[in-house]
Amino acid sequence: MKKFIGILIFTLILTSCSDKVVAVFEIMNNTEFNIDSLKIEPNISDVGKYISLKKGEKAVYKSDMTTIAKTDGAYQISFLVNGINKTQVFGYYTNGYPLERITKINIEKDTILIDQVFEKD
């Protein structure tokens, strides 16, 4: 019985440590231009870190937060549109985990609209 309990505890520890922490963003390009080199930080994964959006295009961006320090912080979006670099800090995460279920980002001609969704629709 002790072996079974030990194996069970070991299995639970292994499976709980392998859970990925991902912040999900839905991004809409409402400008008249293509957007290039878009990224949202914190993002530890080098795979798929940058995306591009054509005018009128929508995409889902996932930021891997699995290995960041378990601290509080804010997100930062940065991108290039019509030859101009844009950056904006927004939102909040705590202990390395997103508080929101999804963040909807609308990139407009002269502003970035951000709506964090906490509950399920």
Side-chain angles (χ1 to χ4, degrees), residues 26-79:
E26 181 183 277
I27 306 164
M28 180 69 191
N29 178 3
N30 290 325
T31 71
E32 299 174 2
F33 304 99
N34 292 338
I35 291 175
D36 192 32
S37 304
L38 185 143
K39 69 177 179 175
I40 298 176
E41 296 180 300
N43 190 351
I44 304 307
S45 174
D46 290 334
V47 178
K49 185 172 183 176
Y50 293 95
I51 65 170
S52 296
L53 291 170
K54 295 178 183 172
K55 60 182 177 178
E57 185 177 16
K58 182 188 287 187
V60 173
Y61 184 98
K62 295 182 180 181
S63 182
D64 184 0
M65 299 174 63
T66 305
T67 59
I68 67 167
K70 299 305 177 204
T71 60
D72 294 0
Y75 303 105
Q76 176 175 293
I77 185 171
S78 61
F79 55 90

Side-chain angles (χ1 to χ4, degrees), residues 5-19:
I5 292 173
I7 292 171
L8 181 62
I9 290 172
F10 180 73
T11 304
L12 288 173
I13 290 171
L14 281 180
T15 56
S16 66
C17 293
S18 66
D19 290 340

Side-chain angles (χ1 to χ4, degrees), residues 21-25 42 61-65 75 98 100-103:
V21 178
V22 177
V24 180
F25 304 90
Y61 184 98
K62 295 182 180 181
S63 182
D64 184 0
M65 299 174 63
Y75 303 105
E100 68 285 344
R101 181 178 60 83
I102 189 168
T103 301

